Amino acid sequence: MTREEKFMAEAIKLSELAVEKGEGGPFGCVIVKEDKIIGRGYNRVLATNDPTAHAEVVAIRDACKNLSSFQLEGCEVYTSCEPCPMCLGALYWARPKIIYYANTREDASENGFDDSLIYDEISKSIDERKIPFRILKLANAYDAFENWENKIDRTNY
């Protein structure tokens, strides 16, 4: 077994644990740095009533806490399934060096986890989306951006 297969096996174990515990869907994820698992997560949507508690998000939070960092620079992500659009976005923000996945989004779809609506919605203009988006800009809405731009001691990310 290669080192990559070993870490993927851990992610798959977590996906099985998610099913066994009944806390969420069959998804697991581990995050690795320098050949050590620094973050673990499995889907906990049902246990937490949190639609963002996907395996990857839970693992990112765990890894970042353990690294005392808001980024996963130099890390590898092993996830039991191709990340959904939300998790994909979170992973891009976290900036790992590589993402490995076992099952495809088509595999997920065949088992009741179809993200095609979200993929389709992202490419549509705001006016064409199923959930209405309306701009409601108050006079001071942009102030926080200006304050950020002028902040001398800010941490860029």
Side-chain angles (χ1 to χ4, degrees):
M1 184 180 282
T2 67
R3 66 178 287 287
E4 289 86 1
E5 290 170 336
K6 178 182 90 166
F7 292 126
M8 184 57 77
E10 288 298 313
I12 292 168
K13 279 184 196 174
L14 287 170
S15 72
E16 293 168 349
L17 182 63
V19 173
E20 179 185 315
K21 287 189 162 207
E23 294 184 353
F27 304 97
C29 180
V30 296
I31 299 175
V32 175
K33 186 163 190 173
E34 297 170 357
D35 284 333
K36 292 185 179 125
I37 295 176
I38 58 157
R40 297 174 191 274
Y42 60 86
N43 187 291
R44 302 199 68 238
V45 169
L46 300 175
T48 60
N49 289 320
D50 178 355
T52 70
H54 290 198
E56 296 90 343
V57 172
V58 173
I60 288 168
R61 290 173 180 163
D62 188 39
C64 287
K65 179 186 66 150
N66 291 331
L67 289 174
S68 297
S69 175
F70 54 83
Q71 293 190 328
L72 299 176
E73 206 171 305
C75 294
E76 301 169 12
V77 175
Y78 296 83
T79 184
S80 66
C81 190
E82 182 178 355
C84 75
M86 176 187 68
C87 293
L88 184 61
L91 287 162
Y92 268 93
W93 280 116
R95 296 178 175 88
K97 69 178 182 180
I98 192 165
I99 300 166
Y100 296 95
Y101 63 94
N103 296 302
T104 66
R105 67 172 114 164
E106 291 79 17
D107 296 328
S109 179
E110 289 171 10
N111 288 280
F113 298 94
D114 186 2
D115 298 323
S116 62
L117 168 74
I118 301 168
Y119 283 107
D120 293 342
E121 288 288 294
I122 288 170
S123 65
K124 291 181 181 177
S125 71
I126 289 175
D127 293 337
E128 296 176 321
R129 293 182 181 164
K130 292 190 186 302
I131 297 175
F133 280 67
R134 301 291 181 258
I135 190 163
L136 183 61
K137 194 163 190 159
L138 301 183
N140 65 340
Y142 199 79
D143 291 355
F145 284 123
E146 289 176 343
N147 292 339
W148 174 259
E149 185 64 28
N150 295 323
K151 187 174 175 62
I152 295 168
D153 62 342
R154 75 175 185 231
T155 301
N156 292 320
Y157 59 97

